[in-house]
Amino acid sequence: MTTVTAPVDSSARVSAQRRKKLRKQLPNYLFILPHYFFFTVFLLYPIFRGIQISLYDWKIMLTDQKFIGLANYEALMGDKIFWETLNNTGYFMILTVAMNVVLALLVATALKESFHGSNFLRVLFYAPAILSVSVLGIIGIRIWDTQLGIVNYFIVTLLGLPRISWLGTPSLVIPSLALTTVWWTFGFPMLVFLAGLQNIPEPLYEAAKIDGAGRLQTFRHITIPLIMPTMLFVVVTQFIAHMQVFAQPYIITGGGPGNGSRTVVMYLYETAWKFFRFGYASAISVVLAGIMIVVTIILFATMRRRTEY
């Protein structure tokens, strides 16, 4: 009799403990439930819905959509405009991320030490980040315009050189947009680097100074290795953000000259809302998301080994 009831009592005790633990943890699950609800409705469902639409010749007013399988993806692989916009986006992303990371790290290193006016400079460098992209577009036009731009004013007036069509030359338009975007966005990675630099133990710098290490050696052998976790975060977030660039070229150049500054997201937007090819636009978004996921995984794989210190 005891051999039969003992396991039953043991299992009942375990079940009671689990119910008690669940009741104790229930408020925590209720707190995170709204997040998961909105995550499912506004992120997870649109992702799966977008993948589904990419398999159809989707017409917005039709109730019965035509299934075409991978035809949109096959057409995309031979789409010269898509590859051109992807090349523009990649070029813009590389320039912007590289300049943002280098400039933000150098400025954060300079502002790490407290001195008279350091807080003012931190606010000053971060201030452009609070501007809307519409304001940025107006500023960008005022800076780079061929006839009335500030840059050309100094080139012609002070240097006596001919005007440069910054936004009308295919080889100059992407660098011009990248410089404008760096001025606008580098405040955030600067603050992230500043927080990371302040977490590096000060005795390490003191020991290096006692050993006779200069500033460059200290920066190379102490700052860079210990800032790598922060570097990984900054590079990944900047990559994801600038691969989705849309508003800057849309406002400042309209994608011109020709397709010289048209990005993938601009092409996606025009495909969906100008030509109403929602299936094809969904295929573009899926391919862009796939590229971003693959590159992000590569960045994590290559940089994570250096973050272990």
Side-chain angles (χ1 to χ4, degrees):
M1 195 71 180
T2 57
T3 58
V4 176
T5 57
V8 176
D9 294 339
S10 178
S11 62
R13 193 182 308 111
V14 171
S15 298
Q17 291 175 350
R18 288 178 178 175
R19 288 194 297 270
K20 183 179 179 180
K21 185 177 181 180
L22 180 61
R23 285 195 301 271
K24 186 178 179 180
Q25 296 292 335
L26 184 60
N28 298 331
Y29 290 112
L30 291 178
F31 274 116
I32 65 176
L33 183 61
H35 167 76
Y36 281 109
F37 172 77
F38 288 107
F39 172 79
T40 302
V41 173
F42 294 105
L43 186 62
L44 196 61
Y45 173 74
I47 289 174
F48 287 105
R49 188 63 168 164
I51 295 174
Q52 179 190 12
I53 292 176
S54 69
L55 303 176
Y56 288 80
D57 183 17
W58 195 273
K59 307 296 183 184
I60 191 171
M61 300 300 294
L62 297 181
T63 56
D64 297 327
Q65 306 294 340
K66 180 181 179 182
F67 179 79
I68 58 176
L70 299 178
N72 284 324
Y73 295 96
E74 294 176 357
L76 195 61
M77 294 301 101
D79 189 343
K80 294 182 179 180
I81 298 180
F82 169 74
W83 291 109
E84 188 175 358
T85 57
L86 183 60
N87 179 70
N88 294 338
T89 304
Y91 182 35
F92 172 86
M93 180 273 299
I94 291 173
L95 288 178
T96 308
V97 172
M99 288 189 289
N100 255 344
V101 170
V102 174
L103 184 62
L105 181 56
L106 293 177
V107 173
T109 303
L111 297 179
K112 176 188 174 183
E113 304 295 335
S114 296
F115 56 89
H116 183 70
S118 61
N119 291 331
F120 172 76
L121 289 176
R122 293 174 186 177
V123 174
L124 182 65
F125 285 127
Y126 182 77
I130 67 176
L131 298 176
S132 69
V133 70
S134 300
V135 175
L136 175 74
I138 296 173
I139 294 174
I141 294 173
R142 295 295 185 184
I143 291 174
W144 302 110
D145 185 79
T146 305
Q147 299 299 325
L148 303 175
I150 297 174
V151 176
N152 274 335
Y153 171 79
F154 286 106
I155 289 176
V156 175
T157 304
L158 299 181
L159 302 179
L161 299 176
R163 299 180 184 273
I164 300 175
S165 179
W166 298 100
L167 303 179
T169 305
S171 60
L172 297 177
V173 61
I174 294 294
S176 302
L177 292 174
L179 285 171
T180 307
T181 303
V182 168
W183 173 81
W184 179 43
T185 60
F186 99 99
F188 172 73
M190 180 202 68
L191 290 184
V192 175
F193 277 130
L194 189 60
L197 290 171
Q198 291 176 342
N199 287 328
I200 299 177
E202 195 64 30
L204 293 176
Y205 292 107
E206 295 176 358
K209 186 177 181 180
I210 293 173
D211 289 338
R215 290 188 177 183
L216 184 59
Q217 292 175 317
T218 302
F219 182 79
R220 178 181 177 185
H221 296 289
I222 295 180
T223 303
I224 294 297
L226 296 183
I227 206 69
M228 284 306 294
T230 307
M231 181 83 71
L232 174 61
F233 171 79
V234 170
V235 170
V236 171
T237 53
Q238 291 294 301
F239 162 74
I240 293 174
H242 296 304
M243 277 296 291
Q244 303 176 73
V245 58
F246 169 75
Q248 299 95 295
Y250 185 78
I251 296 173
I252 297 175
T253 66
N259 290 324
S261 62
R262 182 166 294 160
T263 63
V264 174
V265 178
M266 285 186 64
Y267 186 45
L268 188 158
Y269 167 79
E270 293 168 352
T271 301
W273 297 107
K274 193 177 283 187
F275 304 107
F276 300 103
R277 301 176 62 191
F278 291 98
Y280 196 69
S282 297
I284 296 175
S285 67
V286 171
V287 172
L288 178 62
I291 294 173
M292 293 169 62
I293 291 171
V294 171
V295 175
T296 301
I297 292 174
I298 294 174
L299 289 173
F300 268 98
T302 55
M303 297 183 66
R304 181 176 295 174
R305 288 172 294 182
R306 298 187 178 184
T307 63
E308 298 173 355
Y309 53 88

